[in-house]
Amino acid sequence: MSATQFIELIINGLITGSIYALVGSGIALVYGTTRVLNFAHGELMMLAGYGVLLFAVTLGWPVLLAALATILIVMLLGAVIQRVTIAPLLKREDWAFNVVAATIGLSIFLQSAAQLIWGEQFQGVPYFFNGVAVIGEVRMPWQRIAIFLVALGVMGLCALVLYRTRLGRIIRATAQDAEAALAVGIPSGLVHTAVFAISAALAGTGAILLSPLVTVSPWMGASYLLKGFAVVILGGLGSFGGAVAAGFLLGLIESFSVAFVSTEWSNVVAFLFLIAVIWARPEGLFAGRGA
Amino acid sequence: QEEITIGAVGPLTGPAANTGKDHRQGLELAVKDWNDGKGNYVSQNPPKIKLVMEDTSGKPEVAISAAQRLITRENIKMLIGDTLHSHVTLALMELAPQYNLPILSAEPVSSAIADKVLSDEERYQLYWKGNWNSSGYGTAVHDFYKWAFDNKTLDPGDKKIAFVVEDTDYGIANAEKVGELFKADGWTVTSTETVPPATTDFYPQLSKLREAGPDVVVSVFTVANSGIAFVRQLKEQALDTSHLAIYYPTKPEFLQQAADVAEGTYWAALTFSSELNPEHKAFSDRVQAEYGNPGTYSTAHAYCTMEIALRAIDAAGSTDPKAIAEQIKNTDHECVVGRFKFDKDHAVQSGPDFIPVPVAQIQGGKNQIIWPENVATSKPQ
Amino acid sequence: MLRLEGVNVHYGATRVLWDVAMEVGAGEIVAIMGPNGSGKSTVLKAAMGLKKPSSGVVSLDNEELQNKSATLRPKRGMSIVLERRRLFPRMSVEENVMLGAYTRKPSEARETFRWVLDLLPEIKPHLNATAGKLSGGQQQMVAIARGLMANPRVLLMDEPFLGLSPAMVKTVCSIMQMINERGVAILFNEQNAKLSFSMSHRGYLLESGRVVLSGSGEEMLDHPEVRRVYLGIRETAA
Amino acid sequence: MQRNFLETDRVTVAFGGIVALKDVSLSVVQGKTTAILGPNGAGKTTLFNAVAGAVRPTSGKVYFQGADITNASPSRRCHAGIARTFQITQPFGGLSVRENVMVALAARGVTMKEARAEASTYIDFVGLNAKAEDPARILSTGQRKRLELARALSTHPKLLLLDEVTGGVDRPSIPELLDVIRRLREERGITIVVVEHNMEVLLGLADNAFFLNRGEVVVTGSVEEVADHEAVRRIYLGDADVAA
Amino acid sequence: MLEVFGRRPYLVLLVMALLLAPVPLLQLNDYILHVLTLFLIFAVFATGWNLTLGILGLKTLGHHAFFAVGAYASAMVSHYFGVSPWITIWLAALIAALTGLLIGFPILRIRSMPHVAIVTLAFAEIVRLVFANLKEITRGELGFWGIPPFDPIQIGETTIRFGLGNAAGSFAVAAIMFVGVHLALLLLLRGRCGLTFLAIRDAEAAAESLGVRLAAWKLFAFAISAAVVGLSGAVYAHYVLILTPTSVAGPEMLISLLAMIIVGGVGRFFGPIYGALLLTVTSELLRDFGDFRMLLYGALIIVFVFAAPAGIAGLKPRFSRKETETRKTVEAV
Ligand SMILES: Nc1ncnc2c1ncn2[C@@H]1O[C@H](COP(=O)(O)OP(=O)(O)OP(=O)(O)O)[C@@H](O)[C@H]1O
Ligand SMILES: Nc1ncnc2c1ncn2[C@@H]1O[C@H](COP(=O)(O)OP(=O)(O)OP(=O)(O)O)[C@@H](O)[C@H]1O
Ligand SMILES: [Mg+2]
Ligand SMILES: [Mg+2]
């Protein structure tokens, strides 16, 4: 393998990984705070994809404005989804699996609703950033570099909020015993909703960054869901930082496995890695502070 | 005179639903024309036809369920199916002997279907495949390149070829066939990368390709956005290679979304083009008038498939399955996409004399046929 | 100030509280006694709004609270130490304790925090430990500390001495008496009749979800029923 | 070498940096009731966990009836005759109280019918008859504690580890429970180790006691001796006169 | 266990068997028999899955992998080696059970719900990809065809045939498997086995301290559950006669089976059966709605989770308990 290819593989891995990290950290956040495993997370991405499509392509708004509007709308949707379909279930004793079931149902529902509304076609979104950065022999379009940078920024911001602010502490308290949180006066219902909104924003950011590359379709989010889950587990359940690190790792593993084995086995390699890790270290690779 | 019911199954929902809907339009239009007295009749007294179509979601077990429903509930005398998927067709063709029902598939191309027919001709005597075999592409691609190297349009370099194909029978069979023909000419296949359908990130594969440095890259996808992404990323990585695309440029959204990066791409097969072919344009306009959207290759192919079915029933003069199958076998029908004539393997034949498989190039943001020379609209650039 | 009137509570079809009426006056310590399953914890949860009564009135300073969210109560000066030490198991002890002051200003909270640590020095060495990993009794102390952080006017405590060593029981008793002298009203339940009625101004006896006896601490201790059943003082010892 | 019924040999348990037990060597004589005393966080529950197999000692050995059981799984220890109750109760919420008690019987291979009948005995012992067919998840604190005891008894233990089994149980019922425990010891020769903060209960139940502080055994002797020991009074009972 | 089995489980099963028995004689049209056959196969699948999901309490989301393993194993052995499907289905169940043990090991020590869910989900994805990638022997997504149907059986004058187009015979096989599997499981689970599974579900550590050998029981549960699912997969293979990795091990299989269990009632013994019936039949009825089918399908799951979390099995008047007083309790104290 040449040095150029090696560098390319690393860069590719980091870029794919940054998306996995965005998706995974959103799931981890929700799981960490509410113990809800949200199977409809991918559909939030998908909705964000259609958001960008609407604002940036159909209405022709400037990219930044379109992105902002999309994120706001997806956050709102996330909050509404939480209020309407998840919050009522959390009051039940056996909610954990109920919620999994409900979000799976929601995920199919949203997918097919999107299909009815927008049709099955894959719709393209033009690159937000044009041009290709050429460093030596490595060529990388700015769009891809932007994915990496923006993802890092957004995740950093989230980590800051989570570990350095009062809101973060409240979120983590609610995570661990909602009734007790209620007893000290934390409006845990609202906190849950807020967390969902933040996680939706992460999903939305991922989708916005991705949409020019993968095009928008009703299935856009579904394909990232399992990877997102894998990242959450690898990182140590519910750990935000762990999920971010695991996202990059998984991206790298995939990128390198394509180079060494053929493409169709790369996911097998990634998932075998997951199972091996679980076997050896059930607490995850980067288990640290739980969110 | 009693009405004869024909059933059809195709992907009306799921990722291939767009194509399935085109099929439905084509099938409906043919039946409508037939019943309205505008058909291409064989006899003086053509039967009236009713069409019922069911969804498969692109899944074999669903298709079987749907077909059984058509058979037992609607009492269909013939089945068009699957309209798109080869793997679904492989399951459906079993119904022909089980239910003594003539089955004609529409767009599926897999050579595996023809192989299966040849493996037990007796059993599959009622099954017919309304499209050519996937190996047809391979021959066209190989013959085109040979022609281009011979007349110095392209340089064979180190004689290395690589494939990036979708992980379906369609993609893999094409890669194998083209690879075989090139190897026979002394070429080496550096790699065959199979990616899951609808993949849109090819950077890891491109990185691998750059290392191998092939002279020809052939890509096969059925999902247009895979193709769009591949062509764009190929350009970003500025790989120094000749690129030929199979299938996906037939999708209108390909040129709409990739015109800026697809310049110079060779592709096969430009079987339907409203811009270049007045006959196709007329058909497309017809569809436009009827359904409010332009016609595509899939619409036209479904239309022709239905015409074959209708003419066979008409010619058979009864709904006797064997008689209908016999008439399908005798088909020699000139339709909008070409001349339909079945081969011994129950598949439609391809090539200049039958259904042409022309190679095109995107020039100035437009498709031009560049090979074979007799139908070319432009020279390769 | 805290008053329950005609409170009924159901779990599904099972009724566990029957027209319960209780009152905690300003500056009072009030004890609830009763056999297992009689509904003591349920009374406290209903008072705190963690279990919604099917009917009845829960009021604080004459403000009816039974239909209001539980989060309102800490703002009005109520706080609770829950049974089975409901801590935030994966947060540090310090974070757990600090969250008790959720409704208060951070500067005040810091001050209270120091005060609480002085009262319960046993938790000091464990401030950075994960709460869920502490021993049973240590968790109980953290729970009490968290309850105190709200600087409540009314403190509800569900079996506050459960799992505490005798020395710690004494400490917690004196803390309760001390904050009571500062004007905090306390409603708690505890199985040790002697301990609980002797330190409280008034007491209630609960049986099968009904209040069967109430009176001042001494009255309760002197009542023949209580003496016989809860203090084990009988003519013919078993 | 002749070993006592239960022996721990320099058992140390560390959780990361926290040393919960430090070189604890103690032995329990068959047929006697032993009390473990100690302030909160002294390591009492951890000691039980080490004996019952829920945690592995960092170093040291545990012997039961002469055999080294340091690395045996909790279920093997149970079959060997060690039963325990949990300080923080762990009922099988979805099973009825009766079925909760039947689990251990079933694990021993008793037929369902016999198990059902035998379970009634233990449910009776702990006074949960009225709740026998209710799912365990609705039990109150005290009821759960009783259930813990009934389940432990159902394993036919030779050694019974009771972790604050009377905590949360209403006072009027405690004598009855103690009666049950005492009777078992006399009739079946069960050896009992209790962790208990209620001194009244202890004085009537235990023969000898160990006093544990910060993971170390500080005092050993009869219950009365231990209870009168200066360090115990100061650290544990918190007598005002000594503590001052 | 009352919650899980209801009051008279054997009676319920008997009624089901009696309802199924006359169906082949009713001269129903093939299509209806086809739908009923699918229902029976999926009911066994769902019940097998429910064993770990609801009864052992391990929230596995990868049982469609065992279905695929069972289906492909039986199909390939009978196709390549010419062994009769009557034999290969048992082989398939065995292979599925071994696969179950294989994935059972890594998740033995894991107690958290999401870990188990995601690891098993990933495992199913691996299985799907392996079947899709081993094209030389499975033909990948093109589909594995050439699967022999069950060999005909001669009873006196009549020959019973199986496979497509022989709806009555296929129905009978599925029905016998259905009743047989449920009877066997009932015998197994009504005893100490079921009690132990439920105890593990509710409190692992406590169960272990009471002498339950966790690892052995969990692996046993996994193997049994995988075997049942594998068996249903094998019967499915010899019924539909074509397999593609996506159709047997893809996400839609997961979702529809999960929906059956949820709608029927997680952790109720008979729940999955009701769920399978309702969803197989509605999904056929909804076929007329075309695009709206999946939409309604998703909505149905949500509605059930909300309105009837215990599923159909939980809808029946269970404990017709009036307001019980707490008095009794206290007197006993
Ligand atoms: N979720 C529930 N569903 C049904 N019944 C319940 C539920 N929770 C508690 N109960 C019942 O309500 C009654 C009162 O319970 P509560 O916890 O208030 O008792 P308690 O007086 O605090 O008992 P203890 O002294 O044992 O803590 C008990 O009989 C209990 O079984
Ligand atoms: N899993 C664990 N991880 C970390 N520390 C632990 C863990 N379990 C116990 N400890 C620590 O070990 C020490 C002893 O705990 P243990 O539960 O044995 O105390 P105890 O004597 O039972 O106390 P109590 O009377 O309060 O129940 C405590 O300081 C506790 O914080
Ligand atoms: Mg209580
Ligand atoms: Mg303890």
Side-chain angles (χ1 to χ4, degrees):
Chain A
M1 182 186 298
S2 71
T4 316
Q5 194 191 3
F6 186 75
I7 295 169
E8 269 179 9
L9 287 178
I10 291 195
I11 296 177
N12 290 337
L14 289 179
I15 290 168
T16 319
S18 59
I19 295 295
Y20 292 164
L22 265 180
V23 180
S25 59
I27 299 174
L29 185 63
V30 167
Y31 182 79
T33 52
T34 59
R35 302 283 121 179
V36 165
L37 205 54
N38 180 14
F39 275 76
H41 192 78
E43 276 54 52
L44 289 171
M45 285 183 79
M46 178 267 289
L47 291 172
Y50 281 104
V52 203
L53 198 65
L54 173 70
F55 294 124
V57 180
T58 316
L59 300 182
W61 290 6
V63 174
L64 215 55
L65 190 64
L68 222 59
T70 306
I71 290 179
L72 281 179
I73 286 185
V74 182
M75 284 178 83
L76 193 71
L77 280 173
V80 169
I81 287 175
Q82 196 275 345
R83 281 274 105 169
V84 176
T85 63
I86 293 171
L89 293 179
L90 291 177
K91 298 201 180 82
R92 295 200 187 145
E93 238 170 276
D94 52 348
W95 58 268
F97 191 66
N98 275 334
V99 166
V100 168
T103 52
I104 288 179
L106 188 66
S107 149
I108 318 175
F109 181 85
L110 291 176
Q111 252 179 57
S112 27
Q115 204 178 323
L116 285 176
I117 299 171
W118 294 295
E120 287 88 354
Q121 56 275 64
F122 297 85
Q123 306 195 44
V125 173
Y127 276 20
F128 300 139
F129 308 94
N130 287 313
V132 176
V134 183
I135 308 145
E137 282 184 54
V138 180
R139 300 171 58 90
M140 206 38 68
W142 286 110
Q143 176 73 26
R144 279 172 187 264
I145 297 173
I147 289 182
F148 179 68
L149 295 179
V150 174
L152 270 191
V154 169
M155 291 184 298
L157 195 69
C158 273
L160 210 65
V161 169
L162 212 52
Y163 291 106
R164 292 279 175 273
T165 66
R166 182 175 144 88
L167 175 68
R169 198 150 47 237
I170 295 170
I171 288 178
R172 286 187 294 140
T174 313
Q176 301 183 11
D177 190 329
E179 195 182 39
L182 209 57
V184 299
I186 298 173
S188 36
L190 279 182
V191 173
H192 282 178
T193 312
V195 162
F196 248 79
I198 297 176
S199 141
L202 288 169
T205 312
I208 293 167
L209 294 172
L210 265 183
S211 54
L213 297 184
V214 305
T215 64
V216 179
S217 76
W219 305 278
M220 174 177 183
S223 49
Y224 284 88
L225 191 69
L226 189 54
K227 287 284 166 54
F229 282 154
V231 161
V232 174
I233 294 277
L234 283 175
L237 256 186
S239 147
F240 185 87
V244 172
F248 286 117
L249 181 68
L250 200 67
L252 286 173
I253 288 179
E254 252 185 63
S255 159
F256 276 87
S257 67
V258 169
F260 292 110
V261 294
S262 62
T263 309
E264 68 261 39
W265 292 100
S266 71
N267 275 341
V268 177
V269 173
F271 291 132
L272 279 178
F273 176 73
L274 171 71
I275 292 181
V277 166
I278 289 302
W279 200 336
R281 265 182 76 97
E283 68 278 16
L285 285 177
F286 310 99
R289 246 191 317 179
Chain B
Q1 186 190 358
E2 88 177 279
E3 204 176 47
I4 294 173
T5 310
I6 297 182
V9 292
L12 297 176
T13 60
N18 273 334
T19 314
K21 279 165 191 156
D22 282 351
H23 288 143
R24 166 183 256 167
Q25 290 177 0
L27 297 173
E28 275 177 1
L29 195 59
V31 170
K32 184 166 185 287
D33 283 353
W34 185 270
N35 289 339
D36 288 353
K38 292 185 281 189
N40 201 327
Y41 308 113
V42 183
S43 76
Q44 304 303 316
N45 189 16
K48 285 275 183 253
I49 302 290
K50 181 182 156 203
L51 171 72
V52 222
M53 183 157 180
E54 291 251 3
D55 177 30
T56 65
S57 325
K59 284 179 274 179
E61 74 283 6
V62 177
I64 291 206
S65 187
Q68 278 187 325
R69 202 154 100 134
L70 290 172
I71 294 165
T72 55
R73 290 255 192 100
E74 308 286 347
N75 195 19
I76 55 172
K77 296 294 179 237
M78 181 167 183
L79 179 70
I80 310 286
D82 186 56
T83 61
L84 180 68
H85 294 296
S86 295
H87 64 281
V88 177
T89 306
L90 282 165
L92 280 173
M93 58 198 284
E94 295 298 328
L95 296 175
Q98 294 281 6
Y99 286 98
N100 193 23
L101 180 79
I103 297 181
L104 175 64
S105 58
E107 230 186 301
V109 290
S110 174
S111 305
I113 299 173
D115 294 344
K116 194 174 173 186
V117 169
L118 289 176
S119 74
D120 191 346
E121 285 182 65
E122 174 69 23
R123 182 174 168 84
Y124 300 112
Q125 56 179 313
L126 296 184
Y127 169 77
W128 296 84
K129 178 174 162 209
N131 204 355
W132 32 288
N133 287 329
S134 42
S135 52
Y137 278 115
T139 321
V141 171
H142 169 261
D143 293 355
F144 156 70
Y145 268 110
K146 194 166 174 351
W147 169 81
F149 295 140
D150 286 349
N151 68 18
K152 302 273 186 288
T153 315
L154 288 170
D155 175 20
D158 304 330
K159 297 201 171 181
K160 285 194 285 190
I161 183 166
F163 300 91
V164 179
V165 303
E166 162 184 294
D167 190 7
T168 58
D169 169 65
Y170 187 72
I172 293 162
N174 274 311
E176 274 171 6
K177 181 78 185 173
V178 177
E180 238 168 65
L181 294 170
F182 270 75
K183 270 191 243 166
D185 291 352
W187 282 59
T188 41
V189 177
T190 58
S191 70
T192 304
E193 296 297 324
T194 51
V195 299
T199 298
T200 46
D201 181 12
F202 295 95
Y203 267 58
Q205 288 79 10
L206 287 173
S207 179
K208 213 168 160 184
L209 278 192
R210 182 207 297 277
E211 286 289 292
D215 306 285
V216 173
V217 171
V218 175
S219 64
V220 189
F221 307 109
T222 55
V223 181
N225 70 324
S226 287
I228 295 166
F230 183 76
V231 172
R232 165 159 291 128
Q233 291 165 25
L234 194 65
K235 172 114 191 271
E236 283 163 10
Q237 287 301 309
L239 250 61
D240 178 25
T241 170
S242 151
H243 172 220
L244 186 138
I246 291 182
Y247 189 78
Y248 56 86
T250 57
K251 303 277 176 186
E253 56 272 34
F254 178 76
L255 256 198
Q256 280 162 27
Q257 292 177 31
D260 54 334
V261 285
E263 186 67 21
T265 303
Y266 301 112
W267 67 274
L270 182 50
T271 40
F272 190 88
S273 165
S274 314
E275 291 101 51
L276 303 177
N277 185 324
E279 235 183 292
H280 294 176
K281 172 141 185 31
F283 180 80
S284 178
D285 291 347
R286 187 67 228 289
V287 176
Q288 179 82 48
E290 199 75 36
Y291 299 102
N293 54 276
T296 64
Y297 176 76
S298 292
T299 332
H301 191 100
Y303 185 94
C304 294
T305 309
M306 184 51 100
E307 263 197 350
I308 297 168
L310 294 170
R311 285 167 52 83
I313 293 172
D314 189 9
S318 76
T319 55
D320 174 54
K322 282 227 169 62
I324 293 176
E326 188 60 28
Q327 291 308 323
I328 296 176
K329 182 180 173 190
N330 295 337
T331 299
D332 188 349
H333 176 55
E334 191 75 47
C335 185
V336 60
V337 295
R339 177 174 160 221
F340 285 80
K341 193 163 175 9
F342 289 90
D343 210 342
K344 279 201 292 298
D345 58 6
H346 291 204
V348 167
Q349 303 180 58
S350 64
D353 299 331
F354 302 100
I355 299 186
V357 188
V359 173
Q361 186 179 31
I362 295 168
Q363 300 179 348
K366 287 219 159 44
N367 287 316
Q368 298 291 349
I369 296 176
I370 52 169
W371 183 90
E373 275 172 304
N374 58 346
V375 285
T377 55
S378 170
K379 290 225 166 306
Q381 294 172 355
Chain C
M1 53 202 302
L2 175 68
R3 190 199 298 271
L4 281 73
E5 287 165 274
V7 168
N8 291 302
V9 169
H10 289 76
Y11 284 110
T14 318
R15 186 169 177 184
V16 295
L17 288 190
W18 301 69
D19 286 328
V20 167
M22 282 190 192
E23 194 177 347
V24 184
E28 265 189 332
I29 299 184
V30 179
I32 311 177
M33 279 279 303
N36 292 140
S38 55
K40 304 177 295 295
S41 303
T42 311
V43 166
L44 293 173
K45 281 194 177 177
M48 193 63 197
L50 299 174
K51 174 75 195 160
K52 205 167 165 328
S54 31
S55 65
V57 177
V58 178
S59 61
L60 182 69
D61 296 333
N62 297 323
E63 181 190 6
E64 289 198 11
L65 289 174
Q66 69 273 13
N67 292 322
K68 304 236 168 85
S69 147
T71 51
L72 188 69
R73 288 171 222 224
K75 289 191 197 121
R76 297 281 189 275
M78 277 173 80
S79 109
I80 189 169
V81 176
L82 285 166
E83 87 181 309
R84 271 178 267 142
R85 322 171 187 85
R86 302 287 293 275
L87 300 179
F88 303 116
R90 287 173 307 283
M91 289 175 97
S92 74
V93 169
E94 177 167 357
E95 286 175 311
N96 262 281
V97 176
M98 282 306 287
L99 276 166
Y102 172 75
T103 47
R104 306 179 54 216
K105 282 204 206 81
S107 58
E108 283 175 26
R110 275 281 139 204
E111 205 171 301
T112 319
F113 184 62
R114 275 192 294 276
W115 172 70
V116 167
L117 285 189
D118 286 343
L119 291 178
L120 288 167
E122 281 79 1
I123 60 176
K124 256 189 213 161
H126 303 287
L127 280 179
N128 289 319
T130 311
K133 301 241 165 118
L134 292 185
S135 82
Q138 290 166 338
Q139 292 190 24
Q140 186 67 32
M141 292 180 225
V142 176
I144 293 171
R146 188 176 69 185
L148 294 175
M149 283 297 292
N151 202 5
R153 294 188 298 138
V154 183
L155 180 60
L156 311 179
M157 303 173 98
D158 195 353
E159 308 209 23
F161 310 130
L162 188 65
L164 294 184
S165 73
M168 274 314 296
V169 171
K170 286 179 192 166
T171 312
V172 173
C173 276
S174 54
I175 293 175
M176 286 166 71
Q177 268 154 348
M178 192 261 290
I179 60 171
N180 174 249
E181 274 157 27
R182 292 187 177 187
V184 179
I186 299 175
L187 177 65
F188 75 109
N189 91 53
E190 159 57 35
Q191 294 291 358
N192 186 339
K194 203 156 124 207
L195 177 68
S196 54
F197 286 144
S198 61
M199 69 179 287
S200 53
H201 301 101
R202 285 186 312 104
Y204 291 91
L205 186 58
L206 213 60
E207 263 174 36
S208 37
R210 295 185 178 84
V211 176
V212 292
L213 195 65
S214 63
S216 73
E218 295 98 64
E219 281 166 16
M220 297 295 288
L221 276 175
D222 286 342
H223 194 276
E225 173 82 2
V226 176
R227 282 171 68 86
R228 192 175 58 79
V229 180
Y230 292 92
L231 296 169
I233 303 170
R234 300 184 201 181
E235 270 67 50
T236 50
Chain D
M1 188 175 98
Q2 188 63 36
R3 292 203 177 269
N4 266 319
F5 186 63
L6 172 74
E7 253 180 54
T8 64
D9 181 16
R10 279 168 292 143
V11 166
T12 297
V13 174
F15 299 103
I18 301 163
V19 182
L21 289 180
K22 225 178 290 169
D23 284 333
V24 171
S25 299
L26 40 83
S27 53
V28 171
V29 184
Q30 183 157 24
K32 293 266 195 274
T33 301
T34 308
I36 311 283
L37 298 180
N40 297 121
K44 305 181 295 294
T45 301
T46 308
L47 181 64
F48 273 21
N49 283 341
V51 172
V55 301
R56 292 279 149 87
T58 318
S59 68
K61 299 251 175 238
V62 181
Y63 298 93
F64 180 59
Q65 293 187 309
D68 181 355
I69 57 164
T70 316
N71 289 314
S73 70
S75 59
R76 271 197 43 207
R77 295 182 203 213
C78 173
H79 288 284
I82 302 180
R84 60 96 51 99
T85 67
F86 290 91
Q87 182 183 11
I88 297 173
T89 55
Q90 299 197 13
F92 305 124
L95 295 178
S96 70
V97 168
R98 182 188 306 283
E99 285 160 352
N100 262 270
V101 181
M102 286 163 66
V103 168
L105 297 169
R108 275 215 325 275
V110 176
T111 68
M112 290 296 272
K113 214 169 143 198
E114 286 165 16
R116 194 166 285 279
E118 196 180 334
S120 300
T121 326
Y122 303 115
I123 294 172
D124 217 29
F125 276 170
V126 301
L128 276 177
N129 300 35
K131 293 261 166 192
E133 308 307 331
D134 280 336
R137 87 173 82 84
I138 70 162
L139 297 185
S140 71
T141 315
Q143 292 163 341
R144 286 169 189 229
K145 283 282 181 187
R146 293 157 189 259
L147 178 58
E148 286 281 336
L149 179 61
R151 280 198 320 206
L153 291 179
S154 74
T155 65
H156 291 199
K158 295 180 186 139
L159 172 68
L160 187 56
L161 309 170
L162 301 175
D163 199 348
E164 286 183 30
V165 77
T166 62
V169 174
D170 52 36
R171 294 297 145 132
S173 322
I174 290 182
E176 283 170 46
L177 285 185
L178 292 182
D179 249 15
V180 168
I181 297 172
R182 249 184 251 119
R183 250 190 18 240
L184 285 168
R185 183 181 59 184
E186 274 144 31
E187 289 165 15
R188 299 191 184 165
I190 300 179
T191 311
I192 298 171
V193 183
V194 291
V195 168
E196 184 61 67
H197 290 310
N198 187 333
M199 291 309 284
E200 278 167 58
V201 169
L202 272 185
L203 289 168
L205 190 66
D207 304 309
N208 40 23
F210 293 94
F211 180 70
L212 219 59
N213 191 30
R214 297 173 187 242
E216 287 176 288
V217 181
V218 184
V219 186
T220 4
S222 75
V223 177
E224 288 82 5
E225 282 165 17
V226 172
D228 274 342
H229 194 279
E230 183 270 339
V232 178
R233 300 185 73 86
R234 181 166 43 85
I235 305 172
Y236 181 61
L237 298 172
D239 278 3
D241 44 339
V242 195
Chain E
M1 298 224 275
L2 186 62
E3 274 178 352
V4 175
F5 295 101
R7 288 208 185 276
R8 300 200 194 297
Y10 290 104
L11 189 69
V12 174
L13 189 59
L14 184 69
V15 170
M16 286 181 181
L18 290 178
L19 286 175
L20 291 175
V23 170
L25 310 172
L26 288 180
Q27 303 289 325
L28 294 172
N29 78 33
D30 278 13
Y31 176 71
I32 294 179
L33 280 179
H34 166 76
V35 174
L36 287 178
T37 307
L38 283 183
F39 145 62
L40 290 171
I41 292 173
F42 286 134
V44 173
F45 183 172
T47 294
W49 192 346
N50 192 33
L51 211 61
T52 55
L53 195 70
I55 294 181
L56 187 67
L58 271 182
K59 304 297 184 216
T60 57
L61 290 184
H63 267 54
H64 47 314
F66 303 132
F67 189 77
V69 167
Y72 268 97
S74 188
M76 292 199 293
V77 173
S78 59
H79 175 82
Y80 287 120
F81 303 106
V83 184
S84 159
W86 293 114
I87 295 167
T88 57
I89 54 170
W90 303 109
L91 195 66
L94 185 71
I95 294 175
L98 292 177
T99 321
L101 290 180
L102 190 73
I103 186 64
F105 271 109
I107 60 176
L108 261 189
R109 293 193 292 151
I110 309 174
R111 295 183 185 183
S112 95
M113 190 267 269
H115 271 91
V116 174
I118 293 167
V119 168
T120 49
L121 201 58
F123 167 71
E125 187 65 5
I126 292 176
V127 168
R128 183 184 72 78
L129 288 169
V130 167
F131 282 130
N133 290 345
L134 292 178
K135 295 193 181 61
E136 279 77 30
I137 47 176
T138 64
R139 303 197 191 96
E141 281 301 336
L142 189 55
F144 188 74
W145 45 265
I147 306 170
F150 287 105
D151 306 318
I153 296 179
Q154 189 82 35
I155 302 174
E157 301 288 277
T158 47
T159 314
I160 307 176
R161 291 179 187 286
F162 305 95
L164 282 175
N166 300 301
S170 306
F171 174 83
V173 173
I176 289 168
M177 170 183 70
F178 172 87
V179 175
V181 164
H182 283 96
L183 186 64
L185 286 180
L186 214 47
L187 286 169
L188 187 74
L189 294 177
R190 288 283 289 168
R192 60 200 209 99
C193 200
L195 194 62
T196 308
F197 288 166
L198 292 171
I200 293 175
R201 176 186 73 181
D202 289 343
E204 250 181 53
E208 204 177 9
S209 83
L210 293 174
V212 171
R213 291 187 176 82
L214 275 190
W217 281 102
K218 278 191 185 175
L219 288 176
F220 176 63
F222 241 88
I224 296 281
S225 155
V228 168
V229 173
L231 180 70
S232 69
V235 171
Y236 177 84
H238 295 288
Y239 175 61
V240 300
L241 304 182
I242 179 147
L243 299 172
T244 63
T246 306
S247 69
V248 287
E252 285 209 13
M253 193 55 120
L254 160 76
I255 283 166
S256 51
L257 260 290
L258 203 58
M260 287 175 195
I261 299 177
I262 288 161
V263 166
V266 183
R268 310 283 170 138
F269 184 76
F270 292 106
I273 302 178
Y274 308 137
L277 181 63
L278 183 78
L279 285 189
T280 318
V281 171
T282 26
S283 93
E284 288 299 331
L285 293 180
L286 291 181
R287 192 175 282 289
D288 289 336
F289 290 84
D291 279 350
F292 289 92
R293 200 169 92 227
M294 284 311 273
L295 191 77
L296 288 174
Y297 206 77
L300 204 61
I301 296 179
I302 301 178
V303 165
F304 261 87
V305 171
F306 273 85
I312 301 174
L315 284 180
K316 292 184 298 185
R318 254 183 309 142
F319 310 95
S320 50
R321 220 203 293 182
K322 281 177 246 92
E323 271 200 3
T324 33
E325 299 192 23
T326 45
R327 173 119 254 153
K328 276 189 304 180
T329 325
V330 175
E331 277 166 357
V333 157

